[in-house]
Amino acid sequence: MSGSNDHIDDKARRYGKQAIVAAAERLQSGGLVAVPTETVYGLAADSTNASAIAEIYRTKGRPDFNPLIVHVPDLDSARKLGLFDGLAIQLAEGFWPGPLTIVVPKAPDSIVAPAVTAGLDTIALRCPAHPLMQELLKVSGLFLAAPSANKSGSVSPTIAQHVKSSLGDLTPMILDGGACKSGIESTIVAVRGENYQILRQGPITLEDLETSIGKTGITADFEQIESPGQLLSHYAPTKPVRLDVTRANIQEFHIGFGAIAGHYNLSGAGDLAEAASHLFSAMHLADSSDKSAIAVAPIPKYGIGRAINDRLTRAAT
């Protein structure tokens, strides 16, 4: 079985103005909407509405010390919420719209609800590239807090059905835009004065950042949780996960890569970007199989492979 089989829907379904308007009205009234981005499906709410943010935490079962990412339509909007200096502006101009979240000092007059930043003096901001999410931001006129649309700590959703499977009876309105392109969450970078620190690996790689900024970022250990994806155990299926497995046991669903076929191959060609786009769908498939455990083939630890291994390590913890 390969990563391109038809249980992954790669055909985006276009939504008309009516669906976008209905979703925007729901958000404006304090409701939640699950919406695709280029990374994963997000559980969106008005970032300035404290009750709506509380509903995100309740629906996900998310710890309230874990901050949320706020999605904005452009850099000008981001500057209303956070303080952007030379380096932060360089990052935004280099990678927005796209799968990069930038953590900056919170603006003194920032209007987001306190729970969004979990009491910190920093805020995580992203300008998404997905046209459906961009349209929703513009029609609603809101800045949208949108963590992944799944139960906290479980495997992130890359198609609408994953949202339904994870949230069950708590599933809100879903804008179904088909399968997400990147398939793993955004890279998160914190601005540290004149330097930067990667808080979460993602589609924007270490090499991408070094090339754009012209220097290597800070590699010190994290002093506190400043963004999603920093918890030790995260992105976890219900079954135990074993990593770097070339030959799986009979009771294991084997997720392959390259020459290791497995029951499902993330990329027979050994393409790391393709593997990343299929990772969470493969984990969902493995978790719903009749096997009692999950084994994953070795994934190279360079480029976007670092982000894949980050997710796998947290899933196995």
Side-chain angles (χ1 to χ4, degrees):
M1 185 181 297
S2 74
S4 58
N5 275 278
D6 55 9
H7 66 272
I8 294 178
D9 183 1
D10 288 322
K11 296 180 180 178
R13 285 166 290 281
R14 294 184 180 274
Y15 267 80
K17 193 75 172 180
Q18 186 175 358
I20 297 290
V21 169
E25 291 175 346
R26 182 182 179 93
L27 291 164
Q28 291 163 345
S29 65
L32 306 184
V33 175
V35 58
T37 73
E38 70 274 28
T39 57
V40 299
Y41 274 72
L43 187 63
D46 176 3
S47 65
T48 69
N49 185 324
S51 296
I53 298 305
E55 190 61 27
I56 284 181
Y57 283 107
R58 279 193 292 270
T59 300
K60 284 181 62 69
R62 183 186 181 94
D64 60 9
F65 59 80
N66 200 3
L68 303 175
I69 294 171
V70 180
H71 295 70
V72 295
D74 49 41
L75 176 55
D76 286 342
S77 299
R79 298 179 87 160
K80 297 176 182 178
L81 304 179
L83 301 178
F84 279 72
D85 63 7
L87 179 58
I89 293 171
Q90 184 179 354
L91 285 165
E93 290 180 342
F95 296 103
W96 282 3
L100 181 71
T101 295
I102 306 173
V103 177
V104 295
K106 186 167 58 176
D109 55 352
S110 179
I111 59 176
V112 300
V116 169
T117 58
L120 299 173
D121 58 5
T122 56
I123 186 169
L125 297 163
R126 182 164 93 85
C127 174
H130 197 290
L132 200 161
M133 180 58 145
Q134 273 287 341
E135 185 69 9
L136 185 59
L137 285 166
K138 291 169 184 173
V139 173
S140 69
L142 302 173
F143 304 137
L144 298 176
S148 57
N150 58 293
K151 283 295 184 182
S152 185
S154 64
V155 182
S156 298
T158 57
I159 59 173
Q161 184 57 48
H162 294 163
V163 179
K164 298 176 186 177
S165 298
S166 184
L167 297 181
D169 292 341
L170 296 178
T171 302
M173 175 184 181
I174 301 175
L175 289 177
D176 186 350
C180 299
K181 180 179 178 181
S182 294
I184 55 174
E185 298 85 355
S186 63
T187 303
I188 302 179
V189 171
V191 174
R192 310 288 195 206
E194 296 301 314
N195 210 332
Y196 64 96
Q197 183 177 17
I198 298 176
L199 302 185
R200 180 174 73 185
Q201 301 280 353
I204 304 299
T205 67
L206 173 65
E207 292 82 359
D208 294 332
L209 291 165
E210 289 179 345
T211 299
S212 176
I213 302 302
K215 59 182 174 182
T216 302
I218 297 169
T219 57
D221 291 338
F222 308 124
E223 295 182 2
Q224 61 184 350
I225 292 176
E226 294 181 78
S227 71
Q230 291 184 273
L231 297 176
L232 183 60
S233 178
H234 206 35
Y235 318 110
T238 61
K239 298 173 181 177
V241 178
R242 194 162 63 98
L243 305 181
D244 297 321
V245 178
T246 56
R247 293 180 62 86
N249 298 325
I250 192 170
Q251 74 274 17
E252 293 176 319
F253 185 101
H254 198 188
I255 297 175
F257 177 78
I260 301 174
H263 295 96
Y264 179 103
N265 197 314
L266 294 174
S267 173
D271 185 311
L272 288 172
E274 181 184 23
S277 72
H278 293 149
L279 177 63
F280 287 142
S281 285
M283 296 290 276
H284 280 284
L285 182 65
D287 212 23
S288 63
S289 74
D290 59 1
K291 302 291 186 180
S292 60
I294 301 169
V296 186
I299 306 293
K301 296 177 173 62
Y302 58 81
I304 201 170
R306 295 190 191 92
I308 297 172
N309 280 286
D310 169 76
R311 303 308 191 275
L312 289 171
T313 299
R314 295 176 195 275
T317 299

